[in-house]
Amino acid sequence: MSESPKIHAIIPFRPINPKTRLSGVMDQEERESFARAMLGDVISVLHTAGCSPCILSTVPFEYGDVTTQIDTRDLNEALNAYLSRQKMPVLIIMSDLPLVTPDAIQRLLSCTADVGIVPGRGGGTNVLYVRKPQEFRVDYYGASFCDHVRIAEDAGLSYEVIDSFFMSTDIDEKEDLVEILIHGMGRSRCFLQEIGIQLSLEHGRVGIQRSAHE
Ligand SMILES: Nc1nc2c(ncn2[C@@H]2O[C@H](COP(=O)(O)OP(=O)(O)OP(=O)(O)O)[C@@H](O)[C@H]2O)c(=O)[nH]1
Ligand SMILES: C[C@H](OP(=O)(O)O)C(=O)O
């Protein structure tokens, strides 16, 4: 019996000077290592979920034997050019989702709508499952979740919104690191621990602190 083809998962990635909103707690070299660690967590989960990952990078970049495509254009232009070349369903997943799980990916892949949308906290879009890539386009940044709903509606495509704590937790700000230290089990958590980032409790709120000697 022949196996069903793996779903292509495209991961946009900017390896140089990424995660600038974490500049207060990590220097550039650390942010680059941390972004790579989060990417590694996402790639492992995609493999476990039976997807075929591909990195869409702004510069030449290698991660094991994962295929990389290079596109120097900005995020939206690069992804829309990619979508226009695809005939089969595509998963678009951000690289800063280190808590994503195979179960959550499977749940998204089992949605029957033309577009499955996983919102990010604060109005962004963390994962999209696009069954008809040539009929959809992306518009990231700002309230991109609302924009993606509107784009699907305008194109006459059905959509389903998938709520998942682990997929909706993208790591943008210092406060988001708390979630990795509480829920994470992969490379990203190890990296934070290696550079001395740990949980702190101040006035009853959980935050993070970095040990001075690291
Ligand atoms: N291919 C490509 N990917 C990008 C680009 N900009 C960001 N990304 C990726 O898109 C995803 C979401 O990006 P952001 O959350 O804005 O991450 P970031 O740009 O590293 O973070 P900030 O500098 O803090 O805004 C991540 O997977 C990034 O690596 C780009 O210009 N091209
Ligand atoms: C790419 C952008 O990511 P954010 O800046 O919201 O993390 C978005 O989700 O539209």
Side-chain angles (χ1 to χ4, degrees):
M1 206 172 72
S2 65
E3 272 185 47
S4 53
K6 292 186 171 185
I7 299 293
H8 286 280
I10 189 84
I11 316 167
F13 189 60
R14 181 163 62 87
I16 308 295
N17 198 20
K19 292 289 139 202
T20 51
R21 284 169 278 179
L22 296 176
S23 298
V25 282
M26 293 180 209
D27 64 26
Q28 180 172 338
E29 197 181 330
E30 289 167 338
R31 284 185 282 108
E32 289 176 359
S33 299
F34 181 54
R36 188 183 173 92
M38 293 198 288
L39 173 70
D41 286 337
V42 171
I43 287 171
S44 302
V45 163
L46 289 172
H47 281 307
T48 308
C51 297
S52 170
C54 172
I55 299 165
L56 182 64
S57 177
T58 48
V59 293
F61 178 79
E62 283 186 14
Y63 194 99
D65 59 3
V66 178
T67 310
T68 302
Q69 293 187 18
I70 300 165
D71 194 322
T72 55
R73 288 173 285 186
D74 74 22
L75 180 64
N76 289 318
E77 281 184 273
L79 277 173
N80 284 326
Y82 173 85
L83 287 176
S84 70
R85 298 191 295 269
Q86 305 307 309
K87 293 197 171 70
M88 301 298 285
V90 174
L91 188 77
I92 304 172
I93 179 163
M94 295 316 193
S95 65
D96 57 355
L97 310 177
L99 301 182
V100 66
T101 63
D103 282 356
I105 295 288
Q106 290 295 354
R107 191 148 67 83
L108 172 59
L109 295 180
S110 67
C111 93
T112 53
D114 296 323
V115 188
I117 308 180
V118 180
R121 283 184 303 172
T125 309
N126 285 358
V127 198
L128 284 165
Y129 182 44
V130 185
R131 286 183 186 275
K132 298 173 180 171
Q134 298 187 349
E135 295 178 32
F136 188 75
R137 66 181 174 84
V138 296
D139 186 1
Y140 285 97
Y141 298 118
S144 66
F145 168 68
C146 301
D147 293 333
H148 289 137
V149 167
R150 182 183 43 77
I151 290 166
E153 284 173 346
D154 289 352
L157 299 172
S158 61
Y159 67 89
E160 189 176 327
V161 178
I162 285 89
D163 289 317
S164 152
F165 173 78
F166 291 128
M167 282 198 291
S168 67
T169 304
D170 50 340
I171 305 301
D172 292 327
E173 318 272 348
K174 179 183 136 187
E175 292 69 29
D176 302 330
L177 302 176
V178 168
E179 307 302 342
I180 300 182
L181 292 171
I182 291 177
H183 304 282
M185 287 183 294
R187 295 168 179 78
S188 313
R189 180 198 173 96
C190 289
F191 178 81
L192 294 181
Q193 289 174 325
E194 274 165 27
I195 65 167
I197 291 185
Q198 56 199 38
L199 293 175
S200 70
L201 196 59
E202 235 176 86
H203 309 299
R205 284 195 72 85
V206 180
I208 59 119
Q209 63 181 18
R210 189 165 176 176
S211 18
H213 62 276
E214 296 285 340

